């Protein structure tokens, strides 16, 4: 489980490798908040290498979304597989986030 | 993590003879969760549970039950333990997760995290997800504490 952070143009891209669950959610939160504190405004979280997400992981995404918005920034999600899409649909979080099918489309949407 | 696996043990009296039972005792530590999920996924894969049930239904619901037992049941006390029993055969998986806490009433936990007022909450989705992803969710008092039993029928 790890979170790789790269910068593409003006967008901070976070790849979630493995699970996003109660045991590692704080690590993701802190990494994104650190970037936000440095003045970054555009964030993309890419789930192409993600296994599963639990309610704590979803909660951190909601929290980050609010904090980024409060700072005048934007958050996009990309590459949810079918299981993750179902998870977002069940919780109606698909209505809260801007979700793109691919990383490229997400980057273009800023 | 202490593991005891008993291939060929019957389920529910009169159960199927292809059943396997795993009993685990883990420290009350959220870092243990992923290992438990992997172990149960492996057993269910042997019983031909589909990829979606392994990676969505089982993975998420078991993570929620373990997380609930560790953080709420055991109040994140590292001196306490969580006890997991997984009985799986070619028809269904029955998981029991027991903590060492005082218990809670499932029927009192009725928050719907999908309503417009609740959808942007950061918490309150755990039990909802267990109920959505499992065929049955029950709670009862166990030998040491609260037990949550999750049942998933193989598809």
């Amino acid at each position: 489980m790890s979170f790789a952070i790269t910068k593409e143009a003006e967008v901070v891209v976070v790849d979630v490798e493995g699970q996003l669950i109660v045991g590692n959610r704080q690590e993701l939160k802190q990494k994104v908040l650190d970037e936000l504190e440095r003045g970054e405004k555009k964030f993309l979280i890419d789930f192409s290498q993600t296994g599963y997400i639990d309610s704590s992981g979803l909660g951190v995404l909601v929290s980050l979304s609010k904090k980024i918005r409060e700072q005048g920034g934007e958050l996009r999600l990309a590459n949810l597989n079918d299981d993750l899409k179902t998870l977002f649909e069940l919780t109606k979080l698909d209505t809260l986030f801007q979700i793109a099918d691919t990383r490229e489309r997400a980057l273009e949407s800023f | 993590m202490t593991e005891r696996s008993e291939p060929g043990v019957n389920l529910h009296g009169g159960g199927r003879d292809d059943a396997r039972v795993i009993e685990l005792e883990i420290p009350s530590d959220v870092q243990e969760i992923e290992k438990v999920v992997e172990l149960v996924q492996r057993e269910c894969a042997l019983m031909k549970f589909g990829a979606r049930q392994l990676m969505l239904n089982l993975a998420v619901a078991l993570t929620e039950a373990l997380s609930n037992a560790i953080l709420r049941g055991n109040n994140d006390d590292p001196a306490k333990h969580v006890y997991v029993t997984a009985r799986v055969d070619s028809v269904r998986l029955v998981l029991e997760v027991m903590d060492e806490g005082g218990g809670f009433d499932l029927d009192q936990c009725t928050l719907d995290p999908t309503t417009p007022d609740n959808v942007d909450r950061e918490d309150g989705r755990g039990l909802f997800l267990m109920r959505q992803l499992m065929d049955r969710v029950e709670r009862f008092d166990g030998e040491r504490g609260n037990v949550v039993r999750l049942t998933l029928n193989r598809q």
Side-chain angles (χ1 to χ4, degrees):
Chain A
M1 297 190 288
S2 69
F3 306 104
I5 294 196
T6 52
K7 190 101 184 274
E8 299 197 18
E10 292 182 334
V11 183
V12 175
V13 181
V14 186
D15 282 288
V16 178
E17 297 165 2
Q19 328 314 341
L20 173 56
I21 57 176
V22 60
N24 67 348
R25 63 185 164 147
Q26 285 300 342
E27 187 186 338
L28 172 67
K29 188 172 183 176
Q30 198 52 55
K31 285 193 170 187
V32 172
L33 290 181
D34 288 348
E35 296 294 331
L36 195 61
E37 207 163 293
R38 281 191 203 107
E40 299 292 348
K41 297 280 185 211
K42 295 177 180 175
F43 292 86
L44 163 59
I45 303 181
D46 188 321
F47 294 98
S48 56
Q49 298 174 73
T50 308
Y52 54 93
I53 302 177
D54 72 354
S55 64
S56 301
L58 294 173
V60 157
L61 296 176
V62 171
S63 166
L64 287 173
S65 157
K66 288 181 189 169
K67 289 186 188 306
I68 291 169
R69 217 169 35 235
E70 281 166 14
Q71 299 296 318
E74 295 172 82
L75 171 66
R76 306 278 192 271
L77 310 183
N79 278 319
L80 299 178
N81 65 30
D82 287 346
D83 294 340
L84 294 178
K85 275 183 194 158
T86 300
L87 190 70
F88 276 71
E89 286 163 9
L90 280 175
T91 52
K92 294 224 168 39
L93 287 176
D94 58 330
T95 63
L96 202 71
F97 291 100
Q98 294 199 47
I99 302 172
D101 285 341
T102 66
R103 190 178 184 113
E104 292 69 30
R105 282 193 188 159
L107 288 168
E108 285 165 12
S109 71
F110 282 101
Chain B
M1 182 162 63
T2 313
E3 178 186 347
R4 189 158 64 91
S5 182
E6 301 173 9
V9 175
N10 276 357
L11 271 183
H12 309 130
R16 302 177 59 90
D17 59 11
D18 60 351
R20 288 172 61 87
V21 178
I22 311 167
E23 293 181 346
L24 304 168
E25 178 182 339
I26 60 164
S28 210
D29 177 352
V30 292
Q31 300 302 330
E32 297 285 325
I33 291 177
E34 206 176 344
K35 284 180 271 182
V36 176
V37 170
E38 274 176 25
L39 198 63
V40 178
Q41 279 175 323
R42 209 178 310 145
E43 293 295 326
C44 289
L46 290 173
M47 293 295 174
K48 311 283 187 209
F49 278 63
R52 188 174 179 82
Q53 286 201 307
L54 297 178
M55 285 307 293
L56 177 63
N57 304 74
L58 162 60
V60 177
L62 178 53
T63 300
E64 299 300 342
L66 291 168
S67 160
N68 202 50
I70 293 167
L71 298 178
R72 296 190 184 179
N74 288 349
N75 210 15
D76 210 12
D77 178 349
K80 291 185 173 178
H81 291 80
V82 174
Y83 304 85
V84 181
T85 305
R87 298 181 182 85
V88 59
D89 60 30
S90 54
V91 174
R92 68 176 64 86
L93 164 70
V94 181
L95 289 162
E96 289 182 4
V97 176
M98 179 167 62
D99 59 39
E100 296 181 315
F104 59 94
D105 186 353
L106 268 186
D107 294 330
Q108 295 296 312
C109 307
T110 54
L111 175 85
D112 180 354
T114 66
T115 63
D117 283 347
N118 291 337
V119 74
D120 66 348
R121 282 177 64 121
E122 292 169 29
D123 60 356
R125 294 183 182 84
L127 189 57
F128 171 83
L129 283 175
M130 278 195 267
R131 285 177 168 142
Q132 290 287 318
L133 296 172
M134 288 281 129
D135 291 297
R136 199 166 181 190
V137 179
E138 305 157 271
R139 192 215 72 87
F140 54 92
D141 295 326
E143 188 188 330
R144 294 183 167 88
N146 185 58
V147 181
V148 170
R149 180 190 287 150
L150 307 174
T151 303
L152 179 66
N153 298 324
R154 187 175 73 107
Q155 285 178 353

